[in-house]
Amino acid sequence: MTSWWTDVRIKTTVNRDYIIREIGPRKFQDALHHPLAFGDGLTDDTYLDWILEKGRRCFIILNFIGVPEQIFQLIDKSLDDDDLPLSEEALYDLNLFGAKSETLDKKFYRQQFSVLVQELVPGGHQDFGADEVVPVEPRNGRKGSIGGASQTSDRVYVQDKLYTRKKIATSGDNGVDRVHFVIHLKALQSLKHPHLVSVWATYTQQDFSYMLLYPVTELTLKQFLDEQPKFFKSLEKQQRRETLLRWTHCIVSGLAYLHDHDFTHQNIRPSNVTIGSNNTIYLANFAALNALDAAEGKGQAYRTEIYEHAAPENWRRKASVYETAPDKTIHLGGSRTARLIKGSTKAPLSRPSSAFFPTQRARSVTATTSSSNSSSNSRPKKTLISTFSLAERFAPAAAPADVFSLSTVILHLTSLLLGYGPKSFATHRSRHNRQAGRGGAPADASFHVNLYEVGTWMELLMKDAKEREKKDQKGKGTGGNFWRSVGGVVHSTEAGLRSQATERHTARELELRVGKYVKRALGDVNGVGCGCRCEDGETEQARVRAETGTGTQDFGEEPLFREPKYRLSVPASTGAYSAIDQERRMGMVVPVMENWPLRA
């Protein structure tokens, strides 16, 4: 039971029987039926009538602090619910409780706010005083909202429904102006899409403002890719396949909706895509939701997942000079410490700190050893290290970058649909970046560095889809049209993975392409539980032209399983590769393999 009282709860609880039962001894029960002392015969109303009509809240407060019989004195002073809340000064002047007034006044003052609740409503905003009760009930369990939210988030119940609550400072040096907060949130509340996490309501109290977000989910796509939950595994195999294919259109539809309303996401990756227990997928934590949160992203300037799914233009190389430890001198010998081999004509083996050491030590060599060695190698060295740094948070090319990142997520979904997990995909992307031995840095598995490998992975997926199509055409599967559509969705991502931002399709154009194939495989998308629009290409293109004044590319009926003209390029300085490999990667167009397996 919640600690606050809504209007409905007060009316259903404080009735005739409740008042008579709680008032106490028989003399007080009889007094309830006496006419009002201040009525002077002008009214037949009794004290009980007054409570039921005007004083339910006052009676609850007095009952909570243990003095329900004081309701008679309060009514004799012509006080009712409309006079609440009473200030501490007013309570002192009224002297309702005699000798115990000081203690009971404080209790009455605090308790009255539990029955004076401003209810939160969808799309609304409330300002609560420091002592007022906010009608939210924290959920027991771990803090932090799903999808990589900051530590300023938790889960709360409002009217028995669960929401994610984000806490934002609106005072102090890092605080957000409260007027700015309300204006910003009004714009966010206009965003309503079945596959976007949205703002349900907002409120302020003391130095903080709060957003209530819905829906609340327990699972991110990153977790889902690693291990599917029971509610998903319980579906039939074909239902699971259809769900994964439908999700590709759901998320691109959500992004297209954001872009159509002049918002960008700027943070698309599997951890920011969430999945509900009803098998509905959502885009969460887009930039506008986190723009006011000063704590959002602190301490997370670099994360592997952010780097791997970012667009090429969002990460640029930055050369910096660092002072590193001096080179160590190692020598052949059986011990772990460095030992000089006296009289040896071979030069000692020097290595930087990142060099590879063999797992087996060399055989011992009989020699005279020395415990120290003074040389120029003991001096620190300055090393030029080239690292990646994150681009500005609000880059001008945020929309094309969103399309790139979303295309990587779509490839994850289609890979899983065809039976390939995220580890297999990452291994394929980074296969040319691995170094022999142990102790080196993890291989770079980012999409923007390994675009050639991403292209060959797409070939693999389309080949697999082609083989399944052939199998189904022989009557052994679910239908060739389904797998043909899966290949079409894979092929569509090429338009979003191009290295040049200006060459990528818009989110709406990508939504048209993906939606066409999903609709072809599943029928009417609105009829299979998606809830987002997926019209025929010509109808949707005409609508976009009418609303935006711009045209969209006419995709036509491009043949599937033919040579896709992939334009996935890689910057020249992406890592240490062989000369042939580097030359291959520097081309603007990925060469088509001669033994192309998907040629019609």
Side-chain angles (χ1 to χ4, degrees):
M1 184 67 70
T2 58
S3 59
W4 63 89
W5 289 73
T6 62
D7 291 340
V8 175
R9 184 182 177 190
I10 290 173
K11 289 180 181 179
T12 55
T13 303
V14 186
N15 52 33
R16 182 186 184 92
D17 294 336
Y18 176 87
I19 296 170
I20 294 175
R21 182 178 68 251
E22 298 294 329
I23 196 66
R26 183 60 181 266
K27 65 177 181 178
F28 295 128
Q29 295 179 7
D30 293 339
L32 287 173
H33 302 285
H34 294 171
L36 296 173
F38 56 86
D40 295 330
L42 299 178
T43 178
D44 295 331
D45 287 346
T46 63
Y47 284 96
L48 181 59
D49 295 331
W50 180 277
I51 296 172
L52 290 173
E53 184 178 353
K54 299 181 179 181
R56 294 176 192 257
R57 285 181 168 82
C58 292
F59 184 80
I60 292 175
I61 297 170
L62 292 171
N63 192 34
F64 281 163
I65 65 177
V67 287
E69 68 278 3
Q70 294 297 324
I71 190 67
F72 299 106
Q73 185 176 358
L74 188 144
I75 295 175
D76 289 341
K77 294 180 181 292
S78 299
L79 296 175
D80 56 33
D81 291 349
D82 291 337
D83 296 310
L84 300 176
L86 295 173
S87 66
E88 293 179 287
E89 293 78 8
L91 288 169
Y92 177 81
D93 294 337
L94 289 171
N95 192 26
L96 294 174
F97 310 111
K100 299 181 179 179
S101 183
E102 182 177 356
T103 301
L104 292 177
D105 282 351
K106 292 179 179 180
K107 291 183 178 181
F108 187 99
Y109 177 79
R110 290 193 300 266
Q111 189 63 50
Q112 66 182 334
F113 293 108
S114 66
V115 299
L116 297 172
V117 177
Q118 301 182 72
E119 295 190 33
L120 298 168
V121 296
H125 177 81
Q126 296 286 3
D127 289 310
F128 293 94
D131 297 309
E132 290 187 76
V133 175
V134 182
V136 299
E137 184 178 10
R139 173 189 175 184
N140 294 330
R142 67 180 184 274
K143 291 187 176 181
S145 70
I146 203 75
S150 69
Q151 295 180 352
T152 56
S153 298
D154 62 356
R155 307 279 179 80
V156 296
Y157 284 102
V158 180
Q159 301 172 5
D160 296 328
K161 292 184 179 180
L162 189 62
Y163 298 88
T164 297
R165 178 174 63 176
K166 289 182 69 70
K167 180 180 179 182
I168 300 169
T170 50
S171 65
D173 296 336
N174 297 325
V176 178
D177 179 73
R178 188 162 294 194
V179 175
H180 180 204
F181 171 83
V182 174
I183 295 174
H184 182 79
L185 267 296
K186 282 186 177 180
L188 283 179
Q189 287 173 342
S190 66
L191 297 175
K192 303 294 180 184
H193 189 275
H195 300 291
L196 285 179
V197 173
S198 305
V199 178
W200 182 77
T202 61
Y203 68 92
T204 55
Q205 187 176 43
Q206 293 185 292
D207 297 333
F208 296 94
S209 296
Y210 300 85
M211 292 189 295
L212 298 178
L213 308 177
Y214 77 102
V216 175
T217 56
E218 301 292 343
L219 187 69
T220 67
L221 180 59
K222 187 176 187 300
Q223 296 168 330
F224 179 91
L225 292 172
D226 292 333
E227 182 178 2
Q228 289 72 60
K230 291 183 178 179
F231 65 79
F232 182 81
K233 291 180 178 179
S234 64
L235 300 176
E236 297 292 334
K237 179 183 291 186
Q238 185 58 21
Q239 285 182 301
R240 295 197 298 268
R241 290 171 174 172
E242 291 178 356
T243 299
L244 291 173
L245 183 61
R246 183 171 64 247
W247 283 353
T248 62
H249 177 256
C250 293
I251 57 176
V252 73
S253 174
L255 181 63
Y257 177 87
L258 269 182
H259 287 186
D260 288 347
H261 289 75
D262 299 324
F263 286 91
T264 55
H265 193 290
Q266 302 184 35
N267 204 16
I268 297 176
R269 61 184 190 271
S271 289
N272 281 339
V273 178
T274 64
I275 299 169
S277 57
N278 58 347
N279 288 316
T280 304
I281 196 167
Y282 305 94
L283 286 179
N285 286 337
F286 52 91
L289 289 178
N290 300 325
L292 300 177
D293 191 355
E296 186 69 32
K298 282 190 176 181
Q300 297 182 355
Y302 177 85
R303 284 179 56 184
T304 301
E305 189 190 19
I306 297 175
Y307 169 72
E308 288 185 351
H309 293 84
E313 63 271 19
N314 279 6
W315 290 84
R316 55 178 180 268
R317 283 194 177 275
K318 179 181 179 181
S320 304
V321 176
Y322 296 89
E323 189 172 274
T324 61
D327 285 349
K328 294 182 180 179
T329 303
I330 59 174
H331 308 276
L332 296 176
S335 65
R336 294 181 180 271
T337 58
R339 297 182 178 179
L340 293 174
I341 303 178
K342 199 169 186 179
S344 174
T345 58
K346 294 183 178 181
L349 303 176
S350 63
R351 56 108 176 163
S353 58
S354 61
F356 164 65
F357 274 87
T359 56
Q360 294 183 351
R361 291 181 294 177
R363 294 181 180 274
S364 299
V365 178
T366 304
T368 305
T369 62
S370 174
S371 62
S372 63
N373 178 35
S374 300
S375 68
S376 60
N377 288 336
S378 62
R379 283 180 273 178
K381 298 176 63 178
K382 290 186 181 292
T383 305
L384 184 66
I385 300 177
S386 182
T387 60
F388 281 109
S389 62
L390 186 61
E392 294 180 2
R393 184 176 179 85
F394 297 101
D402 280 351
V403 174
F404 184 97
S405 298
L406 188 77
S407 298
T408 68
V409 175
I410 293 176
L411 278 184
H412 276 300
L413 288 171
T414 52
S415 298
L416 185 63
L417 196 158
L418 290 164
Y420 300 96
K423 292 183 179 179
S424 299
F425 193 6
T427 301
H428 181 91
R429 294 196 306 270
S430 62
R431 56 182 177 157
H432 291 290
N433 302 332
R434 299 185 178 277
Q435 297 179 356
R438 302 183 337 192
D444 190 336
S446 64
F447 283 82
H448 58 271
V449 169
N450 302 291
L451 285 173
Y452 185 92
E453 282 68 32
V454 174
T456 58
W457 182 262
M458 292 166 63
E459 294 176 9
L460 172 66
L461 297 182
M462 294 179 68
K463 177 182 178 181
D464 196 337
K466 179 65 175 178
E467 294 299 323
R468 292 177 186 237
E469 180 193 20
K470 290 180 179 179
K471 178 181 178 181
D472 290 346
Q473 287 174 347
K474 295 179 181 180
K476 298 181 180 180
T478 58
N481 196 47
F482 178 85
W483 297 113
R484 188 173 179 84
S485 297
V486 172
V489 172
V490 174
H491 183 39
S492 299
T493 59
E494 180 273 332
L497 289 171
R498 295 170 184 171
S499 62
Q500 299 299 320
T502 56
E503 294 182 0
R504 295 178 205 139
H505 288 331
T506 65
R508 181 59 65 187
E509 289 172 339
L510 185 61
E511 187 266 340
L512 293 178
R513 297 191 70 172
V514 173
K516 177 178 66 175
Y517 296 118
V518 173
K519 186 173 183 179
R520 180 183 298 171
L522 306 181
D524 185 2
V525 173
N526 293 324
V528 293
C530 177
C532 50
R533 298 179 62 178
C534 183
E535 302 180 14
D536 292 333
E538 294 183 1
T539 304
E540 183 68 6
Q541 289 180 43
R543 183 186 67 81
V544 173
R545 290 192 189 99
E547 292 183 358
T548 64
T550 60
T552 57
Q553 180 176 344
D554 185 9
F555 304 114
E557 292 292 330
E558 71 253 34
L560 297 183
F561 308 121
R562 295 180 181 270
E563 290 182 2
K565 294 182 175 59
Y566 291 119
R567 290 183 287 175
L568 307 181
S569 63
V570 181
S573 56
T574 54
Y577 307 109
S578 66
I580 297 177
D581 198 33
Q582 189 74 283
E583 182 178 351
R584 179 197 69 180
R585 292 164 175 268
M586 290 173 60
M588 286 301 295
V589 179
V590 174
V592 178
M593 301 168 61
E594 293 184 2
N595 57 342
W596 174 248
L598 307 182
R599 191 182 302 275

